[in-house]
């Protein structure tokens, strides 16, 4: 994000608004398209088969929650913001919600009211977008202070008995450190860019891809996660230089967001249908998810991207014309 902010939005009209609205335009139309499809499919499936799939929680627990609770569920699904907080909430037994140490201890489970299960992480991402233009203006020492504060706070809280989901990777103040890592990585790239020779780029890129693919197979050792994190921090700029003009990389990248927010829905459909044998589930889920994602990209994403590009050119032109 630091690269996008520094090289794309720093010289245009109203950079903060342009950046935030551009990010939201990239996320919301695709998200809403998938959300509407899931809601309509679940409703139709329920009317025909009696199983309302992702809408089931709203019908089965209609008497368990008050109107304000339902308003929160609905708006968090629509706006994405707040979905991460759902992972820290439970039923208070009187129709309301309260904070809970472990969301899995809540009955009924609050997270079942999310139609797109992985979207809680998009909420974290969007909160970072709101802060990123401000943080990016800070000096490097400020970024290191934020990074250290986030990591130290996480270690302290985890050692207080909160060393389990959702505290391990869903709490925004703890996860902010990883976003800051990305910003520092860009600053390292900007400083040492001329020393990144083509040969060094290839060596580091191969190393980073290899350690990512075979990470699960690597033997466990004390600081394995930190070694990988540092590898990402150092290696991402090299990988960017190697792939920034690669059409295949760009093509695959277009699928990543849609696949991420739709795969859970596709997998659940296949599990309840029992049409295919279980040993075919992975292949079928991959094929259907990619096909579904292709339709969303063609019908929604590409149109939005054309508008975003035209809008950026217009805003840049206004600045240059002043």
């Amino acid at each position: 994000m630091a690269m996008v902010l520094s090289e794309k939005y720093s010289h245009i009209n109203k950079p903060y608004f342009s950046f935030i609205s551009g990010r939201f335009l990239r996320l919301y139309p695709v998200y809403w398209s998938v959300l509407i499809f899931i809601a309509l499919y679940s409703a139709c499936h329920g009317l025909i088969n009696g199983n309302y799939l992702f809408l089931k929680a709203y019908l089965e627990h209609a008497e368990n929650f008050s109107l304000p609770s339902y308003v929160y569920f609905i708006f968090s699904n629509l706006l994405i913001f707040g979905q991460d907080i759902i992972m820290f909430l439970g039923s208070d037994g009187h129709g309301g919600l309260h904070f809970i140490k472990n969301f899995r201890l809540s009955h009924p489970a609050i997270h079942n009211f999310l139609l797109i299960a992985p979207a809680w992480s998009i909420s974290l991402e969007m909160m970072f977008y709101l802060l990123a233009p401000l943080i990016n203006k800070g000096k490097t020492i400020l970024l290191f202070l934020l990074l250290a504060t986030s990591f130290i706070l996480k270690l302290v809280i985890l050692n207080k008995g909160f060393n389990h989901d959702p505290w391990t990777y869903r709490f925004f103040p703890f996860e902010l450190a990883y976003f800051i890592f990305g910003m520092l990585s860009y600053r390292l790239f900007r400083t040492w860019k001329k020393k990144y020779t083509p040969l060094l780029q290839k060596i580091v890129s191969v190393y980073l891809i290899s350690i990512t693919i075979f990470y699960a197979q690597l033997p466990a050792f004390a600081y394995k996660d930190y070694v990988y994190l540092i590898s990402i921090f150092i290696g991402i700029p090299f990988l960017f230089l190697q792939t920034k003009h690669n059409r295949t990389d760009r093509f695959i990248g277009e699928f990543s967001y849609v696949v991420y927010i739709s795969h859970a829905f596709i997998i659940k459909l296949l599990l309840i249908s029992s049409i295919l044998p279980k040993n075919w589930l992975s292949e079928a889920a991959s094929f259907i998810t990619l096909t579904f994602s292709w339709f969303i990209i063609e019908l929604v994403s590409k149109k939005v991207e054309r508008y975003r590009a035209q809008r950026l050119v217009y805003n840049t032109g206004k600045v240059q014309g002043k």
Side-chain angles (χ1 to χ4, degrees), residues 162-200:
F162 292 84
N163 55 342
H164 55 78
D165 189 14
W167 302 94
T168 48
Y169 67 99
R170 301 182 199 257
F171 189 49
F172 178 72
F174 298 166
E175 304 313 301
L176 179 62
Y178 300 103
F179 292 107
I180 300 296
F181 253 125
M183 302 183 88
L184 288 170
S185 181
Y186 168 69
R187 294 195 178 188
L188 179 69
F189 162 75
R190 191 173 58 187
T191 303
W192 296 94
K193 184 178 179 180
K194 293 181 179 179
K195 297 185 179 181
Y196 292 171
T197 64
L199 178 60
L200 186 60

Side-chain angles (χ1 to χ4, degrees), residues 2-4 11 23 55 85-86 94 121 139 152 169 206 224 227 238 298 303:
M3 178 180 289
V4 173
H11 305 296
R23 292 291 98 189
L55 297 176
I85 298 175
I86 280 182
H94 304 286
S121 62
K139 294 182 178 180
I152 292 171
Y169 67 99
V206 169
K224 179 180 176 181
V227 169
F238 292 90
E298 291 296 321
K303 291 181 174 60

Side-chain angles (χ1 to χ4, degrees), residues 125-178:
E125 183 179 345
M126 292 171 70
M127 284 191 285
F128 174 68
Y129 289 158
L130 295 176
L131 296 175
L134 306 176
I135 296 174
N136 195 54
K137 292 179 180 179
K139 294 182 178 180
T140 301
I141 186 64
L142 173 63
L143 269 65
F144 273 112
L145 287 173
L146 288 172
L147 178 71
T149 302
S150 180
F151 267 128
I152 292 171
L153 183 63
K154 184 173 185 176
L155 289 174
V156 170
I157 297 300
L158 293 186
N159 287 326
K160 293 291 184 179
F162 292 84
N163 55 342
H164 55 78
D165 189 14
W167 302 94
T168 48
Y169 67 99
R170 301 182 199 257
F171 189 49
F172 178 72
F174 298 166
E175 304 313 301
L176 179 62
Y178 300 103

Side-chain angles (χ1 to χ4, degrees), residues 3-47:
M3 178 180 289
V4 173
L5 284 164
S6 301
E7 300 184 9
K8 189 175 181 180
Y9 286 95
S10 59
H11 305 296
I12 67 173
N13 189 44
K14 299 179 180 178
Y16 184 86
F17 173 78
S18 297
F19 170 74
I20 297 298
S21 57
R23 292 291 98 189
F24 287 2
L25 276 170
R26 189 176 183 89
L27 293 173
Y28 275 123
V30 170
Y31 173 83
W32 284 331
S33 299
V34 175
L35 183 73
I36 291 169
F37 183 87
I38 290 175
L40 290 176
Y41 189 95
S42 297
C44 293
H45 191 276
L47 292 172

